[in-house]
């Protein structure tokens, strides 16, 4: 069942629609006084999840999983495969590949407006995007080994291809976000955030943790093999080819899935006007500040900490085990946070912000101390604790802000509104990453004791230095500089800007986020 409120003259009309045929099955007339906090908490008409809605949730998880797999490659595992052959600046360049998720609002009106009525408003975009995603993954599978091996010399071309892959995922995400708002009852939108968390995190997990484990020679040799080989159980190209086929099969399921007939859909001009009106809202301007500057202090440290740990002896098998342990914890925490975030999601997000800041401090202390760990077990336990704290607080922020977005989105333009909110949130994590990683490379000064002309900027150069009988000397490490700078920025920004804004936004009613004020009666 999907409820759609229409408010007029002090009364709310709630139409309960059957998802399969769109027919109105029941209507309730309530006084507006029955709406206690203007956030849609109408307990009087709460409906438990129907069988169709449960199927929809599973389907949403699958759609987000399909997005999470390539995103886990681009943002998770590939930087680790690139690191031996690339500098921090190269990794900064490659981080630009994730920008489509931060720019998708530019073409979201097209996705939200144009479609084939007989095919379905959302399937018009989800089906072809999934098909092109499968094709692009196939292209990756036959070329990625060469791209990684060439490292710095091929980083620009590799970034362009990855940018295109993320662009397809972002376009699909626009349609899926809008579809999720129509699949569930207005009182159960927190399930959409939970489905997104489970799907994306599972895909990310498979393309990060599982992939690193299965491609790790150390893991295969120590756990599964009798004889020692210099290769993992699977190859990176084989893994990508497998998911290309899975994604291709998913297209068939999308094509046969029933979609509710769309109601009124604004034209392109109206959609762009809606975007302008949304961004002009006073509340939105304040939320923009929170999103655009809320991650400035975290991105450099969270990107580089595990990469730095690998320099101190953390192999892929150990790294994979750390992330593997955190995966079920993240899922359980995500479901719990989605439940407790219904009332005051921004305060839950703020709690995660301060926890994330503390975890950054611990990360810096850990990286500084790992040189004194003589045992791999000590190194493993220390990194496990720090990573668990950091990942947990990231999950707290991700889920709680997703719940908040669902609560404040104007259902009249749900797809566009959700895309704007998610775009702004993603942009806050992408724009500072490039700058901070470039800064880390720029302030780093190192050389080889056997050849002062060699800068120890990649693992390949370090191996050359070692082959000459020298060792790398670090006069200044950009990791510590950017991490400490980030800690000060996160504390300063929260005290001066973020906390005061969160206090204000937590008190405003949901209707103040709607560009039409209340739900119009003609929709």
């Amino acid at each position: 069942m999907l409820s759609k409120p229409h408010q007029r003259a002090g009364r709310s009309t709630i139409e309960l629609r059957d998802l399969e045929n769109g027919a109105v099955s029941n209507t309730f007339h309530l006084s507006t006084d029955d709406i206690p906090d203007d956030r849609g908490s109408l307990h009087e008409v709460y409906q438990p999840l129907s069988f169709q809605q449960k199927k929809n949730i599973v389907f949403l998880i699958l759609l987000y999983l399909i997005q999470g797999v390539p995103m886990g490659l681009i943002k998770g595992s590939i930087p680790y495969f690139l690191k031996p052959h690339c500098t921090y600046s190269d990794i900064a360049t490659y981080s630009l590949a994730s920008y489509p998720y931060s720019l998708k609002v530019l073409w979201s009106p097209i996705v939200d407006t144009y479609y084939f009525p007989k095919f379905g408003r959302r399937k018009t975009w989800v089906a072809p995007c999934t098909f092109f995603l499968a094709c692009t993954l196939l292209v990756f599978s036959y070329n990625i080994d060469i791209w990684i091996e060439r490292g710095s010399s091929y980083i620009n071309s590799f970034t362009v291809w990855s940018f295109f892959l993320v662009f397809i995922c972002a376009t699909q995400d626009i349609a899926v976000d809008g579809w999720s708002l129509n699949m569930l009852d207005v009182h159960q939108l927190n399930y959409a955030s939970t489905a997104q968390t489970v799907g994306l995190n599972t895909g990310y997990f498979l393309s990060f943790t599982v992939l690193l484990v299965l491609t790790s020679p150390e893991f295969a040799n120590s756990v599964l093999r009798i004889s020692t080989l210099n290769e993992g159980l699977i190859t990176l190209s084989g893994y990508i080819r497998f998911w290309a086929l899975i994604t291709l099969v998913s297209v068939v399921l999308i094509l046969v899935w029933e979609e509710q007939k769309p109601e009124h859909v604004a034209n392109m001009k109206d959609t762009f006007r809606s975007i302008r009106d949304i961004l002009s809202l006073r509340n939105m301007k304040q939320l923009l500040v929170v999103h655009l500057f809320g991650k400035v202090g975290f991105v450099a440290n969270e990107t580089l900490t595990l990469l730095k740990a690998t320099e101190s002896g953390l192999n892929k098998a150990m790294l994979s085990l750390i992330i593997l342990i955190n995966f079920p914890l993240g899922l359980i925490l995500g479901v719990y946070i989605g439940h407790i975030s219904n009332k005051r999601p921004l305060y839950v997000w703020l709690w995660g912000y301060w926890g994330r800041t503390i975890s950054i401090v611990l990360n810096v202390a850990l990286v500084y101390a790992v040189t004194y760990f003589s045992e791999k077990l000590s190194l493993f336990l220390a990194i496990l604790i720090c990573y668990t704290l950091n990942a947990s607080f990231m999950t707290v922020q991700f889920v709680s802000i997703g719940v908040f977005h669902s609560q404040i989105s104007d259902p009249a333009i749900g797809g566009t509104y959700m895309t704007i909110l998610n775009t702004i949130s993603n942009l806050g994590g992408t724009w500072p990453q490039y700058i901070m990683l470039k800064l880390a490379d720029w302030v780093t000064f190192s050389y080889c004791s056997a050849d002062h002309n060699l800068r120890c900027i990649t693992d390949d150069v370090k191996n050359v230095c070692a082959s000459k009988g020298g060792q790398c000397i670090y006069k200044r490490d950009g990791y510590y500089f950017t991490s400490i700078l980030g800690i000060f920025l996160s504390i300063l920004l929260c005290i001066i800007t973020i906390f005061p804004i969160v206090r204000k936004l937590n008190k405003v009613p949901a209707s103040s986020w709607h560009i039409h004020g209340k739900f119009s009666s003609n929709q």
Side-chain angles (χ1 to χ4, degrees), residues 439-452:
L439 178 62
D441 197 38
W442 182 68
V443 301
T444 297
F445 179 71
S446 62
Y447 61 91
C448 177
S449 60
D451 185 352
H452 288 200

Side-chain angles (χ1 to χ4, degrees), residues 308-315 318 322 366-367 369-371 373-385:
K308 289 290 293 184
T310 59
E311 297 178 2
S312 302
L314 182 72
N315 57 44
M318 295 169 63
I322 289 173
L366 168 68
V367 171
V370 291
T371 54
F373 292 148
S374 57
E375 297 181 2
K376 285 190 175 182
L377 178 61
S378 300
L379 173 66
F380 173 80
L381 292 176
I383 296 178
L384 173 63
I385 294 173

Side-chain angles (χ1 to χ4, degrees), residues 67-95:
Q67 296 175 33
V69 167
M71 293 307 297
L73 289 169
I74 303 302
K75 300 189 69 174
S77 58
I78 287 181
Y80 286 89
F81 288 105
L82 282 173
K83 185 182 178 298
H85 315 287
C86 295
T87 66
Y88 287 158
S89 291
D90 294 328
I91 295 176
T93 298
Y94 188 74
S95 71

Side-chain angles (χ1 to χ4, degrees), residues 23 37 52 94 106 115 198 203 208 217 296 323 339 377 401 415 462:
D37 60 0
Q52 179 62 43
Y94 188 74
L106 298 178
Y115 63 97
V198 173
F208 192 8
V296 172
I323 303 173
H339 175 71
L377 178 61
I401 203 64
K462 293 175 184 177

Side-chain angles (χ1 to χ4, degrees), residues 193 290-291 294-295 298 302 333 337 341 345-346 348-357 390-405 425 498:
S193 178
V290 173
H291 275 324
K295 301 174 186 176
F298 308 139
E302 291 173 347
L333 181 62
I337 295 300
S341 296
L346 282 183
V348 177
W349 179 88
L350 191 62
W351 177 71
Y353 181 98
W354 281 114
R356 205 165 167 183
T357 303
N390 185 251
S392 298
F393 290 121
M394 288 177 66
T395 300
V396 169
Q397 286 200 295
F398 179 79
V399 176
S400 59
I401 203 64
V403 172
F404 181 71
H405 289 171
S425 179
I498 294 176

Side-chain angles (χ1 to χ4, degrees), residues 21-64:
N21 54 34
V24 178
S25 60
N26 206 348
T27 303
F28 298 87
H29 298 281
L30 302 172
S31 166
T32 53
D33 293 336
D34 294 330
I35 306 177
D37 60 0
D38 202 22
R39 291 184 182 273
S41 54
L42 297 173
H43 301 289
E44 294 81 1
V45 294
Y46 174 79
Q47 297 288 324
L49 287 174
S50 65
F51 177 72
Q52 179 62 43
Q53 286 176 323
K54 292 177 181 178
K55 287 172 57 180
N56 288 339
I57 292 174
V58 174
F59 183 60
L60 282 174
I61 292 175
L62 172 64
L63 295 180
Y64 284 117

Side-chain angles (χ1 to χ4, degrees), residues 61 93 228 233 273 298 361 377 386 408 416 463 518:
I61 292 175
T93 298
T228 300
L233 297 177
R273 185 183 298 114
F298 308 139
V361 177
L377 178 61
C386 288
I408 66 176
T416 299
N463 292 334
K518 301 291 183 182

Side-chain angles (χ1 to χ4, degrees), residues 45 97 247 317 358 384 419 472:
V45 294
T247 304
I358 294 173
L384 173 63
T419 298
C472 290

